[in-house]
Amino acid sequence: QQQVKQSPQSLIVQKGGIPIINCAYENTAFDYFPWYQQFPGKGPALLIAIRPDVSEKKEGRFTISFNKSAKQFSLHIMDSQPGDSATYFCAGRSGSARQLTFGSGTQLTVLP
Amino acid sequence: DADVTQTPRNRITKTGKRIMLECSQTKGHDRMYWYRQDPGLGLRLIYYSFDVKDINKGEISDGYSVSRQAQAKFSLSLESAIPNQTALYFCATQAANTGELFFGEGSRLTVL
């Protein structure tokens, strides 16, 4: 059972474009929604995260938009750069165990 | 030195062989995880451990076993490897206060 659905699977944009990655979740017990960034040959690393009582969070060029009623959230990358080319995973966290359920990942390519 | 170290980084083996992937950490975290990454499927949880005496199955534990030898060491074993276990495997630790996961650089396993 896939509790976090992520789209698109891959995305190609020109430098300066604004790629948007979308996620939808089913588990209403999720209380924290992080995004992880993974460069080739490396493990994923936390990029930015949001709690469901907030509709938007910005950190530098990265913004999470959160729609609790629709059970959807998205990552926007402003002024994207070739160095942003990576795989991005959304996730939801539930329960006191703080386990994460990951989406299927989006491979982003930013062309120079 | 990396905070989460996985060995080996790459391994090619044959069907039926026993394989062990090892993970060690210097972050001092009690919680450790093993994930499997496959294209289009994201990161799926195999096993997790909250301390040396606590081992729990994840969503895809069949065909795998783990051992938590010490707080800093968590190994994953495939008793009899099969080709559909060909994947990229990640070990991760988790900060108890924030829930953030810290991943190793991965172990790429190919089963022929």
Side-chain angles (χ1 to χ4, degrees):
Chain A
Q1 179 185 7
Q2 187 181 11
Q3 296 191 45
V4 180
K5 295 183 179 180
Q6 183 172 347
S7 63
Q9 186 170 355
S10 63
L11 186 56
I12 300 174
V13 299
Q14 295 285 340
K15 177 183 175 182
I18 306 175
I20 301 173
I21 304 171
N22 299 298
C23 287
Y25 64 97
E26 301 169 1
N27 189 346
T28 55
F30 286 157
D31 63 357
Y32 176 73
F33 299 87
W35 285 86
Y36 280 75
Q37 180 187 53
Q38 181 185 27
F39 293 108
K42 301 294 184 181
L46 180 64
L47 177 64
I48 186 173
I50 196 168
R51 297 190 183 279
D53 55 347
V54 177
S55 61
E56 184 177 277
K57 184 173 182 180
K58 290 184 179 181
E59 287 188 3
R61 296 183 293 106
F62 299 90
T63 298
I64 302 176
S65 297
F66 190 86
N67 185 330
K68 187 174 181 178
S69 62
K71 293 189 287 186
Q72 296 175 348
F73 59 110
S74 59
L75 177 70
H76 302 233
I77 306 176
M78 308 301 290
D79 187 27
S80 59
Q81 302 295 313
D84 296 329
S85 297
T87 299
Y88 293 81
F89 294 97
C90 62
R93 187 187 74 184
S94 64
S96 59
R98 296 191 167 188
Q99 289 181 46
L100 294 180
T101 300
F102 287 92
S104 55
T106 297
Q107 186 170 357
L108 171 66
T109 302
V110 181
L111 301 175
Chain B
D1 290 340
D3 293 323
V4 183
T5 303
Q6 292 183 231
T7 56
R9 294 293 312 281
N10 288 283
R11 181 72 182 269
I12 301 173
T13 191
K14 294 183 178 180
T15 297
K17 295 292 187 181
R18 184 178 187 273
I19 295 297
M20 178 179 286
L21 305 179
E22 299 186 339
C23 177
S24 62
Q25 55 118 343
T26 59
K27 298 196 73 67
H29 294 158
D30 288 325
R31 299 180 177 191
M32 298 187 72
Y33 296 78
W34 275 103
Y35 286 92
R36 168 177 172 162
Q37 183 177 4
D38 298 277
L41 296 178
L43 294 159
R44 294 182 293 166
L45 182 62
I46 306 172
Y47 269 96
Y48 61 101
S49 170
F50 287 171
D51 64 42
V52 174
K53 297 180 180 179
D54 179 78
I55 302 290
N56 303 279
K57 293 182 178 180
E59 64 177 297
I60 57 164
S61 59
D62 288 349
Y64 302 95
S65 63
V66 291
S67 174
R68 184 80 184 267
Q69 302 94 325
Q71 186 208 36
K73 295 184 182 294
F74 191 36
S75 60
L76 176 71
S77 294
L78 289 69
E79 295 301 326
S80 180
I82 57 177
N84 77 0
Q85 291 177 314
T86 293
L88 184 57
Y89 291 86
F90 284 101
C91 173
T93 71
Q94 186 177 38
N97 53 347
T98 65
E100 181 178 352
L101 291 175
F102 296 86
F103 287 85
E105 295 197 327
S107 295
R108 184 168 296 281
L109 176 65
T110 302
V111 184
L112 302 176

